[in-house]
Structures are given as C-alpha cells and as structure tokens.
Amino acid sequence: MGAGDALLLHGDGAGRRRLVCFSFAGGGVAPFRAWGGSVPPGHDVWGISYPGRDGRYGQRVPGQWSELVTDCAALVAGSVEPPYVLYGHSMGALVAHAVAATLPGPAVDGLIVSGHVAPHRHIGPDPRLLDVSDAALERWLGEKGQVAPEVLANADLRAFAVHLLRADISVYGTFRHEAGPLLETDVHVLYGEEEPQPREDFAAWADVTKGTTIVHELPGGHFFTPEIWSALPGLVLTGV
C-alpha cells in the first residue's frame, strides 16, 4: 500500500470484523504489529499512520486537531471496507471517537478506547510537556512510550522520535471538546488501575453514545502491563 493508505497489520483483508487502530502521541503502527498472536480468527487489524511516520515519513504533521481528524477519517473511509471497530489508545482514543462521529453511522460497528478519559472530561495535556528537555522526553519514551530499544539506541532515530512526540503533543493541545450528536454504537472503555484519574472520568464515555458502554479496569498503568497490552485484541474484540 502507498503513503496515505491504512496498513493491514494482521489478517488477509477479508475478515468478518475489522479493527482499525489509532496510536498514542508520538506513536505509529508498530505497537499494534505485536498483536498477531492474540487476534481472534476471522478478524483483521488495520493501523492508521499519522502524517510524518511509518509510510508517511516526510509528510507534514497537522498543526490543528481538526486537520488530524479529517486526515484519519479519510484514510479509514478510503482504505478499509466497513463495517469496522475503531480502537484508540491515549490521544488515539480521542481520535477514534472523533472519526467515529465523522463517518457514516452504520460504518462503525464499535468503539474501543483505552488510556483516556471521556472527551468532555479532558482538560488537555500538561503544557509543560512542550517545554521539557529532549532528555526528559527520551526518558518518557524509554519508560512509557513503547519505543523499540533499537530506536532509543540510535541518536538520529531517538531525536526523530522526540520530534514526533513534540509535534503530536502540540496538535493534541489544540483539541477542544464540542458537544455533538451521540454515537449509535457500543463503547468499550479500558483503563489501567494505576491511572491517576478517577474511574468516573473513564466511565463518563457513556455520555457520548446511545449504545451500551462497558468499562474495564486492567492491571498496570497507562499502557497496562506488557502481558495485557499484547493480549488486548483477544480481550476486547469478542466482547464489543
């Protein structure tokens, strides 16, 4: 597939259900590539590359939230056969929700969000993140950002990862919640037991849909435990 396409990560493209994934700030599709062993039979997993990474290297990272959502919605509509389940983690949860609100209702057969409070409970990323040193962001990427060790070990790749993280934090900071029509689909909410936000902020995803909302607390922090993260498709695809 060319730049500007969604990437088929697992499956043959003919699965009866399609999971479309949106990454966290600074991330690409790599974290979803490791899911092959836990994708249930008959399911396909697609990854949406934000501009500037994966097969879209060199493309300008959007400066505004609306640009990012428009870009992602176009990729889904143009590359993946509906219906599909949308999944997003952290910043990607807000992207997945916004895309679900943008695409025709019957196309979206479920929304899975993890590691993020409901849109109307979001107060924005800490603005101090834009001012921290490269070394601090490198430490964050190493400890929490799910960046491959070989990337962190290479000075050029490490600097590029920090650049993408800063760019994504900047566009993330332009997000403003605007109440709109409720979704028609069910929503599955996942959050780590060590997250600092109260459960009510995650359970508030129920306010964005007319469908059923399921909320699960899982072991670990923002990215759960490695075992839980690697098993996520099997945990949620059969229950949404």
Side-chain angles (χ1 to χ4, degrees), residues 5-238:
D5 290 329
L7 301 175
L8 179 60
L9 304 178
H10 304 291
D12 59 8
R16 69 178 184 273
R17 299 195 79 194
R18 288 159 285 281
L19 179 68
V20 182
C21 301
F22 302 87
S23 195
F24 41 87
V29 300
F32 310 122
R33 290 188 184 278
W35 283 358
S38 62
V39 176
H43 292 73
D44 293 330
V45 175
W46 295 78
I48 298 299
S49 294
Y50 302 145
R53 68 216 73 192
D54 302 316
R56 306 183 70 186
Y57 177 79
Q59 296 185 16
R60 183 184 69 86
V61 177
Q64 296 293 319
W65 183 258
S66 59
E67 291 181 75
L68 178 61
V69 171
T70 298
D71 178 275
C72 290
L75 283 187
V76 176
S79 303
V80 188
E81 186 74 21
Y84 26 70
V85 176
L86 304 182
Y87 167 73
H89 181 75
S90 195
M91 182 186 82
L94 290 183
V95 177
H97 170 253
V99 170
T102 300
L103 296 174
V108 181
D109 191 34
L111 175 65
I112 306 170
V113 292
S114 64
H116 206 288
V117 301
H120 53 295
R121 298 291 185 98
H122 176 58
I123 59 175
D126 189 335
R128 292 174 296 180
L129 288 174
L130 292 175
D131 298 322
V132 299
S133 67
D134 286 355
L137 290 181
E138 288 172 7
R139 284 194 296 274
W140 186 92
L141 287 170
E143 295 170 0
K144 300 181 180 180
Q146 295 210 353
V147 174
E150 55 267 28
V151 171
L152 294 175
N154 181 290
D156 291 337
L157 294 178
R158 190 168 64 244
F160 182 65
V162 168
H163 163 72
L164 283 180
L165 179 57
R166 286 193 189 278
D168 284 354
I169 291 172
S170 180
V171 69
Y172 186 25
T174 70
F175 169 84
R176 299 292 182 272
H177 173 65
E178 296 181 5
L182 298 180
L183 301 180
E184 302 285 343
T185 188
D186 293 344
V187 178
H188 195 159
V189 184
L190 311 170
Y191 72 98
E193 62 185 359
E194 298 171 13
E195 289 275 29
Q197 299 93 338
R199 177 184 172 87
E200 308 90 79
D201 285 350
F202 295 98
W205 278 99
D207 298 337
V208 308
T209 185
K210 297 177 183 178
T212 300
T213 301
I214 302 171
V215 183
H216 279 149
E217 180 183 89
L218 296 174
H222 189 55
F223 286 98
F224 314 116
T225 64
E227 296 76 17
I228 291 294
W229 178 267
S230 64
L232 275 181
L235 291 174
V236 299
L237 269 176
T238 56

